[in-house]
Amino acid sequence: MPLSESALIERYFRACGAQRPDVLAGIGDDAALLAVAPDAELVATTDTLVAGVHFPAGSPPASIGHRSLAVNLSDLAAMGARPAWALLALTLPEADEAWLAEFAAGFSALARAHEVALVGGDTTRGPLCVTVQLLGQVPRGEALRRGGGRAGDALFVSGTPGDAAAGLALEQGRLRAPADALVYLRERFLLPTPRIALGERLRRHASACIDVSDGLLGDAGKLADASGAGVEISFGAVPVSEALLRTLGEERARELALSGGDDYELCFAVHAENLQALLTELPPQRFGYSRIGALRSAPGAVVVRDGTVMEFSHSGYQHFR
Ligand code: ADP
Ligand code: MG
């Protein structure tokens, strides 16, 4: 007998994610009832993953569960917010119990790691599509924004961008890599790490922040635009992983780090007068970020190597054609 919608919700989603005392009503009522902290602002985001568009059809279900939450966590990280509550709108072609169990396990593990409660959602039949809405909180007036930067600010990025784009290309058979690099790069696509802890700490240091989902150069450009400035990135300063270096060589690795997508890293600007405090209080080695350039008064986003501006395409796909 096929699983009814209510049995499916009960079995796979009732106990998904963290339990939180500020959830006054969660799954099972008509809407969730949440107690927002009195000194906080509510931060809200939503992102949809469509099968065959945002992940390869046939991706491991645990990865789809993880990524559907991770992409939203990354948005809250960029605001300096602490995540709290998620809603899940799930469109499924069929109630495949093995698939649902793995999907829910992937979602739940990441939710628990960030103390996120799943407080509601919707379940419908149709082509596979996952929408997560994520709510979080930030102390009043302290959220990070894209637009707080100014010319002269130092620019940073967390992690090693480009890995996930290579991982996706490997997943789709558009790229080859040495065996151990392949394992690492695939995982960077399938199980990205949202930078929640870094985002929260950056509230005290950064002037502007954006999460890198569509390619570092383009997203750094968005931050600069919102800040009424331009941005200059130093090609040689773009951090790349060992695995990406061994797979693509230095030139193409850095190009992909600038142009790829699905990184879910943070790109942030820091006023000159706050630079020393940042580097002392959040040591780059320990918190995993690198200085890649600066905001400047001339608009636009450029990459500079040996003092000259590089011609650079924003699209990562061409690297594997
Ligand atoms: P309604 O018809 O009132 O919208 P539903 O029968 O769709 O209610 O859902 C019942 C309860 O289950 C609600 O609390 C809803 O938020 C929750 N829910 C439905 N689908 C999901 C899901 N995929 N994940 C988490 N909660 C869900
Ligand atoms: Mg409903």
Side-chain angles (χ1 to χ4, degrees):
M1 196 182 86
L3 204 57
S4 73
E5 185 188 327
S6 54
L8 181 159
I9 294 163
E10 194 58 40
R11 190 166 304 171
Y12 297 106
F13 298 118
R14 169 77 75 179
C16 193
Q19 305 295 315
R20 295 178 58 100
D22 53 12
V23 178
L24 308 179
I27 292 174
D29 217 312
D30 286 306
L33 195 59
L34 310 167
V36 181
D39 50 352
E41 283 162 351
L42 186 65
V43 189
T45 187
T46 186
D47 257 309
T48 293
L49 301 185
V50 178
V53 178
H54 301 101
F55 58 89
S59 281
S63 159
I64 301 170
H66 177 105
R67 291 185 79 247
S68 68
L69 180 58
V71 300
N72 285 284
L73 285 166
S74 183
D75 282 327
L76 289 204
M79 303 297 288
R82 176 170 294 187
W85 311 291
L87 296 122
L88 170 64
L90 195 54
T91 305
L92 297 169
E94 59 188 337
D96 175 338
E97 295 210 45
W99 191 96
L100 275 163
E102 281 187 52
F103 172 88
F107 186 101
S108 192
L110 187 61
R112 287 186 181 162
H114 293 286
E115 291 175 68
V116 169
L118 180 62
V119 298
D122 195 23
T123 307
T124 53
R125 194 170 292 262
L128 179 59
C129 177
V130 187
T131 298
V132 170
Q133 182 181 13
L134 184 64
L135 305 169
Q137 302 175 96
V138 69
R140 196 170 289 158
E142 290 185 24
L144 290 171
R145 306 285 301 271
R146 292 182 180 184
R150 61 173 184 243
D153 284 3
L155 190 75
F156 298 84
V157 72
S158 65
T160 52
D163 290 345
L168 175 59
L170 288 164
E171 197 68 2
Q172 296 177 325
R174 293 183 283 122
L175 177 68
R176 287 169 163 286
D180 52 338
L182 184 140
V183 170
Y184 166 85
L185 294 169
R186 269 188 84 226
E187 183 163 315
R188 297 308 301 151
F189 173 76
L190 294 173
L191 302 173
T193 310
R195 304 299 181 185
I196 291 290
L198 178 62
E200 281 202 74
R201 286 181 170 86
L202 285 175
R203 288 204 306 263
R204 289 169 40 77
H205 301 285
S207 57
C209 189
I210 187 170
D211 87 308
V212 180
S213 53
D214 298 331
L216 175 58
L217 182 56
D219 286 334
K222 287 181 197 166
L223 180 153
D225 253 10
S227 296
V231 61
E232 188 173 305
I233 293 176
S234 164
F235 190 71
V238 175
V240 283
S241 68
E242 268 302 307
L244 195 65
L245 276 177
R246 279 189 289 123
T247 302
L248 293 179
E250 192 175 334
E251 185 85 9
R252 290 175 72 213
R254 290 227 162 83
E255 281 180 22
L256 190 63
L258 284 159
S259 65
D262 300 311
D263 294 306
Y264 304 107
E265 296 295 349
L266 296 181
C267 176
F268 56 97
V270 177
H271 291 332
E273 65 268 28
N274 297 333
L275 205 48
Q276 200 47 57
L278 170 81
L279 299 174
T280 311
E281 289 169 35
L282 305 182
Q285 290 283 0
R286 195 160 115 230
F287 287 89
Y289 66 89
S290 315
R291 188 171 181 170
I292 55 169
L295 298 185
R296 56 175 203 173
S297 46
V302 296
V303 181
V304 173
R305 175 158 61 178
D306 304 326
T308 54
V309 172
M310 296 172 74
E311 287 298 324
F312 203 83
S313 151
H314 286 224
S315 164
Y317 280 91
Q318 62 181 25
H319 298 295
F320 311 116
R321 281 221 181 102

